[in-house]
Amino acid sequence: MALEHAILVSLAERAGTGYELGRQFSTSIGHFWSATHQQIYRTLGRLAEDGLVDCESVAQDGRPDKKVYSLSGAGQDFLREWVVTPTPIQTLRDDLGVKIRAAEHADLPRLIAEIDRHRELHRSRLELFHTFAAEQFPPDSARTGRKLHQYLVLRGGIGVETFFVDWCTEVIDALEGELRDSAPAK
């Protein structure tokens, strides 16, 4: 996937300015695909040149006109086709995993502290996702269409973060056990 696709998905949900898209990328969709404001504006320009988004200038009092972007008909067709195009399995690239492979060369207490730091970061993100779920998708809410799709992605994020919290705990427990087993007997 490319940033273009994430922007098209956002614009399919609601038209907006580059600034508003940037806010979405710092909150909801940004947890699954990140981008800077500069990348968003640059990509919006390309999408407009390619005819995949429409841009309407809206006058503002005492300020420059703002540009509101929306998905064009061609953009809807492009997005419709992209959604059903086969997606390759994502290759895992994880620095922490490579560091754990090299644990025999590490100061284990420091490596354990780094893994614990990661666990806490994943735990925080997991709590945030649970908060989103409770606020945006209460148990009695109707989950169809866009709301269902957003909920399913959020559930995937919850699953990933749950896995990482559990995995970090497993690694910490194993490395602490290795430390205990290798400690000189008293």
Side-chain angles (χ1 to χ4, degrees), residues 164-184:
F164 274 108
V165 168
D166 292 347
W167 178 63
C168 287
T169 299
E170 178 184 353
V171 171
I172 289 168
D173 290 348
L175 293 179
E176 285 176 342
E178 183 177 31
L179 266 178
R180 279 190 306 275
D181 293 347
S182 66

Side-chain angles (χ1 to χ4, degrees), residues 110-127:
R110 287 180 59 201
L111 179 58
I112 290 168
E114 174 63 3
I115 296 165
D116 188 49
R117 186 181 72 82
H118 276 260
R119 178 174 57 183
E120 292 311 309
L121 292 170
H122 287 289
R123 190 173 282 144
S124 292
R125 191 179 296 164
L126 178 59
E127 288 173 15

Side-chain angles (χ1 to χ4, degrees), residues 71-160:
L71 201 59
S72 69
Q76 290 172 357
D77 293 342
F78 179 85
L79 188 57
R80 187 176 299 113
E81 184 58 33
W82 174 76
V83 167
V84 296
T85 302
T87 301
I89 189 165
Q90 187 175 11
T91 303
L92 180 61
R93 291 183 60 170
D94 183 62
D95 289 353
L96 190 59
V98 176
K99 288 180 177 186
I100 293 166
R101 291 266 314 244
E104 67 187 273
H105 305 287
D107 174 348
L108 282 183
R110 287 180 59 201
L111 179 58
I112 290 168
E114 174 63 3
I115 296 165
D116 188 49
R117 186 181 72 82
H118 276 260
R119 178 174 57 183
E120 292 311 309
L121 292 170
H122 287 289
R123 190 173 282 144
S124 292
R125 191 179 296 164
L126 178 59
E127 288 173 15
L128 177 66
F129 287 176
H130 279 299
T131 300
F132 288 165
E135 291 174 354
Q136 298 172 19
F137 305 100
D140 59 343
S141 67
R143 294 188 189 124
T144 59
R146 181 178 301 150
K147 280 300 221 189
L148 173 63
H149 310 152
Q150 291 170 341
Y151 176 76
L152 293 171
V153 171
L154 182 58
R155 290 293 306 150
I158 288 170
V160 167

Side-chain angles (χ1 to χ4, degrees), residues 57-67:
S57 290
V58 177
Q60 301 184 100
D61 288 333
R63 298 166 64 185
D65 293 353
K66 69 178 178 180
K67 296 178 180 179

Side-chain angles (χ1 to χ4, degrees), residues 13 23-33 132 136:
E13 293 177 355
R23 283 198 355 238
Q24 268 193 294
F25 274 84
S26 67
T27 56
S28 61
I29 202 165
H31 293 288
F32 299 93
W33 194 268
F132 288 165
Q136 298 172 19

